[in-house]
Amino acid sequence: AMQAQRSAIMDFINKSPAKTEEQISPRVARIAETLASVLGNVKVVYGAEKSMYDPKTNTVYLPSNATVYDLIHEASHAGLSHIIANPSHPITRQLNKVFEQVKSDIDGAYGARNLQEFVAEVWSNDDFRTQLKEKRSEVPTLSLWDKIIRTIRRFLRMPDQIGRAHV
């Protein structure tokens, strides 16, 4: 089933009508592979009115003109929303700390709306990610991006590898 999910995501990326070289990059492919590994049995409905994720039915809805950004953004919700919905989960608490640190600096950005959108934007929005890479955390050697990657890697039971996260 996991391989089928990876295939479905990679098929979407390769057939995306908004395909550009930047969108179909090794970075995007790595993100899609990572998301596919944690998505489980998420359903994908193409031809929807708008892009969205429904946690009640575990379904990602994508319009026929969906972009790779749409896919990665909604897949991020699918992969992490059930965890973020639990405020006492250690991952939620760690990500919320970073979110609270930057919320006022990113006021007006879609990722400033709430923790769910913050986490989805981290994975899908290059400009947003660049802002996080430029902001220092309370640990001077770590950017906020580094802290997010460290948190997600720990969740996926991967080594920290700070400084090498080129997602």
Side-chain angles (χ1 to χ4, degrees):
M2 200 70 74
Q3 189 58 42
Q5 288 301 109
R6 281 192 192 96
S7 296
I9 289 172
M10 295 311 292
D11 283 351
F12 176 82
I13 285 175
N14 291 326
K15 294 175 185 166
S16 174
K19 183 164 68 172
T20 67
E21 279 192 38
E22 183 207 18
Q23 288 174 319
I24 312 302
S25 67
R27 179 189 64 77
V28 170
R30 282 195 312 273
I31 291 170
E33 289 290 326
T34 300
L35 289 170
S37 72
V38 297
L39 289 181
N41 297 322
V42 68
K43 294 178 271 318
V44 179
V45 174
Y46 295 106
E49 197 172 300
K50 65 179 185 169
S51 295
M52 64 173 273
Y53 172 67
D54 181 351
K56 291 182 183 109
T57 60
N58 196 28
T59 305
V60 169
Y61 293 91
L62 295 167
S64 55
N65 65 343
T67 64
V68 172
Y69 163 84
D70 296 329
L71 169 70
I72 294 173
H73 183 93
E74 300 309 333
S76 296
H77 284 305
L80 295 167
S81 70
H82 64 288
I83 292 166
I84 294 169
N86 175 359
S88 63
H89 193 287
I91 297 296
T92 305
R93 288 199 314 264
Q94 290 173 32
L95 290 173
N96 200 50
K97 264 191 220 171
V98 176
F99 174 63
E100 290 298 329
Q101 248 180 301
V102 299
K103 188 166 57 173
S104 61
D105 291 346
I106 57 172
D107 192 35
Y110 194 64
R113 291 179 57 166
N114 56 50
L115 184 59
Q116 292 280 359
E117 296 305 337
F118 175 76
V119 172
E121 286 291 280
V122 162
W123 289 110
S124 57
N125 184 325
D126 286 331
D127 293 336
F128 191 66
R129 199 167 29 257
T130 298
Q131 286 181 47
L132 294 171
K133 288 177 182 177
E134 292 169 354
K135 294 186 188 312
R136 294 287 108 200
S137 71
E138 69 281 359
V139 179
T141 57
L142 295 180
S143 70
L144 291 174
W145 169 253
D146 294 331
K147 283 191 70 169
I148 293 166
I149 292 301
R150 178 181 278 180
T151 300
I152 299 294
R153 290 182 71 85
R154 286 179 179 167
F155 168 67
L156 297 172
R157 294 177 178 80
M158 299 167 71
D160 286 345
Q161 292 184 322
I162 292 299
R164 296 179 54 205
H166 300 292
V167 177

